[in-house]
Amino acid sequence: MNYVIVGNSVAAVGAIRAIRERDQQGNITVISRERHNVYGRPLISYLLGGLINEKRMAYLPNEFYLQNRINLLLESEVVAVDTAAKKIKLAAGDAIPYDKLLLATGGDPFIPPIEGMSDKDRIFTFTTWEDAAKLKGIAPDISRAVVIGGGLIGLKAAEGLNLLDKPVSVVELADRVLSSAFDRPAGKIVARKMKANGIDVITEDTIVRIEGDGADISGVTLKSGDFIPCDTVVVAIGVRPAAAFLKGSDIEVNRGIVVDATMQTSKKDVYAAGDVTEAADFFSGQKNPMPIWPDAYIQGDIAGAAMAGEKKEYVGGLAMNSIEFFKVSTISMGVTNPKEPTEYEIHTYQDIQNYQYRKVVLQNNRLVGAVLVGNVDRAGIFSGLIREKIDVTPFRESLLTPDFGFLNLSRDIRDRLFAPQGKVTDNGHTERAAGH
Amino acid sequence: MKRIYTIEDACIGCHLCEVGCITEHSLSKDPVKAFLHEPERPISRCTVEELHGGIISLSTTCRHCDEPDCLRACISGAIQKNAEGIVRIDTEQCVGCWSCVMACPYGAIQRNLKKKKANKCDLCPDRQSPACVDACPNRALVYREGSQK
Ligand SMILES: Cc1cc2nc3c(=O)[nH]c(=O)nc-3n(C[C@H](O)[C@H](O)[C@H](O)COP(=O)(O)OP(=O)(O)OC[C@H]3O[C@@H](n4cnc5c(N)ncnc54)[C@H](O)[C@@H]3O)c2cc1C
Ligand code: SF4
Ligand code: SF4
């Protein structure tokens, strides 16, 4: 069996492990246009800010590729897929045949057209190790940077620059930062903390023009008319599934590559996983890109299992994010800002002064979302309750208490999770209930 | 593989499992030194919950899942599963992002806020049987073969 994986990040790792668990013999070829082995992509802001060194970027030990007998092609771009001939084509011209193909190409930064941007030198994106290295390289002569976009990637870029003592402004169109993951209070707490640490956060505004002569940037003009002097601009509006190379192929691409529950695309033997896909949402089943790390791993695992002949089904992606800014921990999961609030029951606790906030969102007596700021300990119990669709009626009052735990759940659930099956006797051996 | 299970009815909420865990993960492996004299006292990787003033109590810890949610969520690669199935955190590699705290449905990962590192049960690699299990006076914790749940 000839497995070919395009992309060399977390979705690829999930798939490699799943394939090797089931098939020790097959050939696995991994192709990536980047020059690095798999690395912690979310760590690029830590690298930029100097919190970690290059060695710690490695997501896995180097032996991983050897141990799993991976034929690794780095700095190779895939430009086309021919599903009839079962071949992919590289930019260099070579064609590589496959029996099972996985497209795990992730996302490309989205760059909207902005007046004045075309001839400027110091406009950056922030999604790869290379991006972080470039910014770090010019950092000594950045006097002020403007980050366009107050989402996860924008805030991470701003944080990295701030750690290098560079003045940074973040400009966000919505009324708060992290608008997709957070609700208002959580977004406000994070913005307050950022401002206290010297990052300027401007909301409900956007950049209409990048000013300057020739290749140099002198500043940006905002929609409100304000002008921010700066010499560096980071565009961090978001990522789009990196599926452009499929143009002209017969693989169905909507907003992302369309996949079924086993991660198979519209073409047999071609699978897709991670940020490049448009997979089902956990609650609605609607198909949407869900660009988060854990989900990319899980999708890779399911695709890998399917490619090696075992059917596992994707239960749908649950949005979740853990982000820490200047020592304020924040975790959000599931539905945090219901569009139709009347269909939901929302409970909150807040102590904004001390950067503490908790919110739970219930629907039909099931937990469907949570936001935790400050004390995030054991947040995963909430993700478990969401995934298992547990009826929270018996303990809904205790959901917001800081020491919420398994004792608030039913004995039945605890026994299922933690107790040995059967009765345990003195010597630690289990005795089955009578009759077994 | 062998995992730690809890017999809730036998738990008296004495927290000795936590003491055992902290001691085992200390530099000296001596409870008095660990609690009083070590500059960086470890934090416990098992959690004793109590309700109604301790009338019910329960010690919970990592299940060493077959498909660990913590590992899948970890953005740095610090969490790995070894050939025996034991899931461990490489503290050096951990960046303290708490993605694992967010993902583990068993609430089994602790935050060491002082060091900004995640901690979890490692099943005590230097011992025959985990320190919490040995420390429990009531045999409320058992270490035996079984499934993750
Ligand atoms: C700054 C930043 C911070 C983040 N922080 C978090 C976080 O805290 N938590 C979280 O859950 N998520 C975070 N994310 C998102 C997370 O990194 C992604 O969800 C995850 O990396 C997706 O993995 P993937 O395997 O699908 O693809 P990617 O990691 O995007 O990797 C795709 C790979 O495919 C390669 N490739 C693409 N096209 C081609 C081609 N045509 N030919 C050859 N190779 C190709 C790319 O070079 C790349 O190596 C962050 C992202 C960024 C940029
Ligand atoms: S920390 Fe949680 S998710 Fe990870 S192996 Fe242990 S129980 Fe499973
Ligand atoms: S806190 Fe450490 S171990 Fe946990 S997910 Fe983050 S890097 Fe991994």
Side-chain angles (χ1 to χ4, degrees):
Chain A
M1 186 66 77
N2 237 343
Y3 303 95
V4 173
I5 300 176
V6 190
N8 179 29
S9 187
V10 62
V13 171
I16 292 167
R17 286 194 171 134
I19 292 169
R20 278 291 174 248
E21 254 171 50
R22 295 163 177 88
D23 179 354
Q24 290 293 323
Q25 307 309 320
N27 295 317
I28 304 181
T29 301
V30 173
I31 305 165
S32 168
R33 63 183 174 199
E34 286 187 85
R35 63 188 174 85
H36 301 284
N37 282 351
V38 53
Y39 60 92
R41 185 172 306 286
L43 303 190
I44 62 173
S45 57
Y46 299 79
L47 183 70
L48 172 62
L51 292 181
I52 62 167
N53 57 21
E54 301 217 326
K55 202 177 135 257
R56 277 177 66 193
M57 288 296 285
Y59 176 64
L60 293 168
N62 274 331
E63 307 89 77
F64 178 81
Y65 295 93
L66 202 65
Q67 276 165 1
N68 288 290
R69 282 167 291 107
I70 304 297
N71 171 24
L72 184 64
L73 302 179
L74 295 178
E75 295 180 90
S76 308
E77 175 135 12
V78 173
V79 290
V81 177
D82 180 346
T83 57
K86 287 197 141 187
K87 279 187 176 135
I88 59 163
K89 215 177 129 206
L90 300 184
D94 320 59
I96 297 179
Y98 66 83
D99 297 317
K100 303 275 177 188
L101 175 66
L102 176 65
L103 306 171
T105 48
D108 280 330
F110 173 63
I111 308 176
I114 301 172
E115 209 186 311
M117 82 187 305
S118 60
D119 50 354
K120 298 291 182 289
D121 268 350
R122 287 165 55 152
I123 298 179
F124 297 88
T125 51
F126 194 66
T127 61
T128 64
W129 182 336
E130 210 56 42
D131 290 340
K134 271 194 227 155
L135 262 177
K136 206 176 168 82
I138 62 141
D141 44 73
I142 294 180
S143 60
R144 175 171 274 281
V146 168
V147 175
I148 312 181
L152 177 66
I153 295 175
L155 295 198
K156 285 282 169 186
E159 186 191 32
L161 289 166
N162 176 269
L163 284 166
L164 294 173
D165 282 331
K166 298 294 159 188
V168 187
S169 303
V170 176
V171 183
E172 164 61 46
L173 190 58
D175 65 352
R176 60 179 182 276
V177 294
L178 290 167
S179 59
S180 62
F182 285 168
D183 61 351
R184 257 165 161 269
K188 290 244 147 93
I189 291 174
V190 170
R192 197 161 82 91
K193 198 74 194 179
M194 295 181 79
K195 282 180 183 162
N197 283 275
I199 298 179
D200 190 22
V201 182
I202 299 161
T203 52
E204 293 178 271
D205 211 342
T206 185
I207 283 154
V208 290
R209 204 162 46 248
I210 297 176
E211 314 283 358
D213 286 334
D216 292 336
I217 296 174
S218 61
V220 293
T221 300
L222 305 186
K223 191 162 177 229
S224 61
D226 287 354
F227 174 80
I228 310 173
C230 67
D231 51 27
T232 306
V233 172
V234 181
V235 184
I237 311 272
V239 293
R240 295 285 174 274
F245 68 103
L246 294 178
K247 226 175 227 144
S249 80
D250 47 5
I251 296 165
E252 190 186 347
V253 181
N254 193 11
R255 281 172 66 203
I257 300 175
V258 179
V259 288
D260 66 12
T262 67
M263 295 293 138
Q264 188 165 236
T265 66
S266 59
K267 275 291 167 202
K268 195 169 167 287
D269 298 331
V270 181
Y271 295 79
D275 285 9
V276 74
T277 67
E278 183 190 82
D281 178 80
F282 178 78
F283 299 109
S284 63
Q286 264 171 16
K287 297 196 170 179
N288 272 316
M290 168 94 67
I292 58 170
W293 186 269
D295 216 49
Y297 191 111
I298 292 167
Q299 291 186 10
D301 172 71
I302 288 174
M307 291 162 77
E310 188 188 325
K311 196 170 163 194
K312 263 175 130 180
E313 292 212 344
Y314 185 59
V315 296
L318 183 63
M320 49 166 75
N321 263 300
S322 171
I323 310 161
E324 192 166 83
F325 283 106
F326 304 106
K327 298 206 171 117
V328 176
S329 307
T330 66
I331 287 179
S332 67
M333 55 181 78
V335 181
T336 53
N337 285 304
K339 278 198 200 76
E340 243 85 39
T342 48
E343 290 173 21
Y344 297 83
E345 185 184 326
I346 295 172
H347 299 280
T348 60
Y349 162 84
Q350 66 183 70
D351 176 359
I352 302 281
Q353 282 312 309
N354 292 307
Y355 301 106
Q356 297 288 328
Y357 176 63
R358 245 167 206 246
K359 172 184 192 171
V360 290
V361 182
L362 312 178
Q363 187 185 33
N364 301 327
N365 300 319
R366 307 285 192 276
L367 187 69
V368 293
V371 182
L372 305 175
V373 177
N375 177 10
V376 300
D377 289 320
R378 309 187 96 197
I381 298 177
F382 286 149
S383 54
L385 292 176
I386 297 175
R387 283 223 162 84
E388 300 295 321
K389 304 193 166 129
I390 306 283
D391 184 344
V392 301
T393 310
F395 53 86
R396 63 172 355 115
E397 305 306 324
S398 51
L399 283 169
L400 286 180
T401 56
D403 55 354
F404 175 78
F406 290 101
L407 284 185
N408 299 103
L409 310 185
S410 69
R411 174 69 188 254
D412 187 51
I413 294 175
R414 287 200 291 285
D415 281 353
R416 185 155 54 75
L417 299 181
F418 298 106
Q421 284 130 7
K423 179 172 162 275
V424 174
T425 57
D426 277 357
N427 56 17
H429 294 305
T430 310
E431 261 177 16
R432 287 271 157 198
H436 287 265
Chain B
M1 68 175 287
K2 278 176 129 180
R3 292 180 166 93
I4 299 165
Y5 297 87
T6 312
I7 300 160
E8 184 176 326
D9 292 331
C11 177
I12 53 167
C14 66
H15 293 261
L16 284 176
C17 49
E18 295 179 346
V19 176
C21 180
I22 289 169
T23 305
E24 177 64 21
H25 294 94
S26 68
L27 289 174
S28 60
K29 303 209 175 191
D30 175 283
V32 177
K33 286 188 193 142
F35 275 76
L36 296 179
H37 305 304
E38 282 186 19
E40 308 217 351
R41 190 210 292 174
I43 58 174
S44 173
R45 292 126 202 257
C46 50
T47 309
V48 177
E49 292 183 20
E50 289 179 58
L51 201 67
H52 308 314
I55 291 175
I56 31 176
S57 59
L58 174 84
S59 174
T60 65
T61 190
C62 168
R63 308 321 301 147
H64 295 276
C65 301
D66 294 333
E67 297 188 343
D69 287 307
C70 60
L71 182 155
R72 292 160 164 217
C74 176
I75 59 173
S76 74
I79 303 184
Q80 298 293 336
K81 194 174 181 63
N82 71 13
E84 289 92 68
I86 301 172
V87 179
R88 292 212 177 96
I89 295 182
D90 172 350
T91 312
E92 265 317 293
Q93 185 67 13
C94 170
V95 294
C97 69
W98 320 134
S99 295
C100 51
V101 173
M102 159 186 86
C104 169
Y106 300 93
I109 301 204
Q110 292 77 30
R111 296 188 297 156
N112 187 335
L113 290 173
K114 240 171 144 182
K115 294 191 179 170
K116 202 169 150 43
K117 299 284 184 184
N119 273 173
K120 71 178 279 303
C121 163
D122 56 3
L123 289 177
C124 295
D126 301 342
R127 302 172 64 103
Q128 287 292 333
S129 139
C132 56
V133 174
D134 293 347
C136 179
N138 252 24
R139 300 198 191 103
L141 296 175
V142 287
Y143 185 50
R144 59 183 281 276
E145 289 292 329
S147 66
Q148 89 193 39
K149 284 178 183 172

